[in-house]
Amino acid sequence: MNMSICIYEHESYRGFLKDFFHQKQKANKSYSLRAFARDLGLTPQTLSLTLKNKRRMSLESASRITKKLQMPLCEAAYFLDLVIFCDIAEEAAKEIVAQRIKNAQHNYFEKNGTQVFKLHRASE
């Protein structure tokens, strides 16, 4: 799948997946959540519950999604960090992952001459 959405503008893997789905749906009005789930290698129920924040995403599923979306390694690592960030309860570990996310955003936006977004503590 070709991706034109900038993952570094997202602070939530759910938000990224929702935006990606909406982009695909905009290009093809008949593109459904069921088709998106199939393309990601997930069941429609799993994807729906995940997007509604009623189910966590496993790192195995997240890794599979990065491959299905053909993400470059740096973007895949960022996506995985977003998944990890949402599930970490321990404050010190959460801070480490937040710093990795912030550094990845900074590196991307500095390289591309755009503003760095501030990571919020909300787990969407």
Side-chain angles (χ1 to χ4, degrees):
M1 280 186 203
N2 190 10
M3 186 168 60
S4 66
I5 294 178
C6 177
I7 191 166
Y8 298 105
E9 292 178 356
H10 292 83
E11 298 174 353
S12 157
Y13 70 91
R14 288 179 177 95
F16 170 75
L17 290 174
K18 287 176 187 176
D19 286 352
F20 193 93
F21 171 66
H22 292 304
Q23 177 190 8
K24 298 283 284 181
Q25 201 172 41
K26 198 176 198 180
N28 176 0
K29 298 290 183 201
S30 65
Y31 192 71
S32 66
L33 195 62
R34 181 175 298 278
F36 189 44
R38 179 200 62 226
D39 292 345
L40 295 178
L42 301 172
T43 67
Q45 181 182 14
T46 296
L47 179 59
S48 178
L49 292 173
T50 300
L51 293 178
K52 292 177 183 174
N53 201 16
K54 295 183 179 190
R55 184 175 194 161
R56 291 179 172 176
M57 179 172 288
S58 71
L59 286 178
E60 180 181 330
S61 292
S63 180
R64 187 171 47 248
I65 287 170
T66 65
K67 290 179 179 108
K68 295 281 187 175
L69 296 180
Q70 300 174 348
M71 290 180 168
L73 186 58
C74 56
E75 291 180 15
Y78 185 83
F79 183 81
L80 293 174
D81 276 344
L82 291 178
V83 172
I84 293 166
F85 182 80
C86 285
D87 289 341
I88 290 181
E90 206 278 316
E91 200 57 36
K94 193 169 194 91
E95 203 53 49
I96 291 168
V97 176
Q99 189 60 49
R100 283 199 317 239
I101 290 169
K102 182 179 172 185
N103 289 343
Q105 285 178 324
H106 178 77
N107 290 341
Y108 174 80
F109 290 112
E110 185 176 83
K111 178 180 163 186
N112 292 293
T114 53
Q115 184 177 346
V116 177
F117 289 83
K118 185 174 182 178
L119 179 67
H120 298 282
R121 301 294 299 201
S123 297
E124 185 180 328

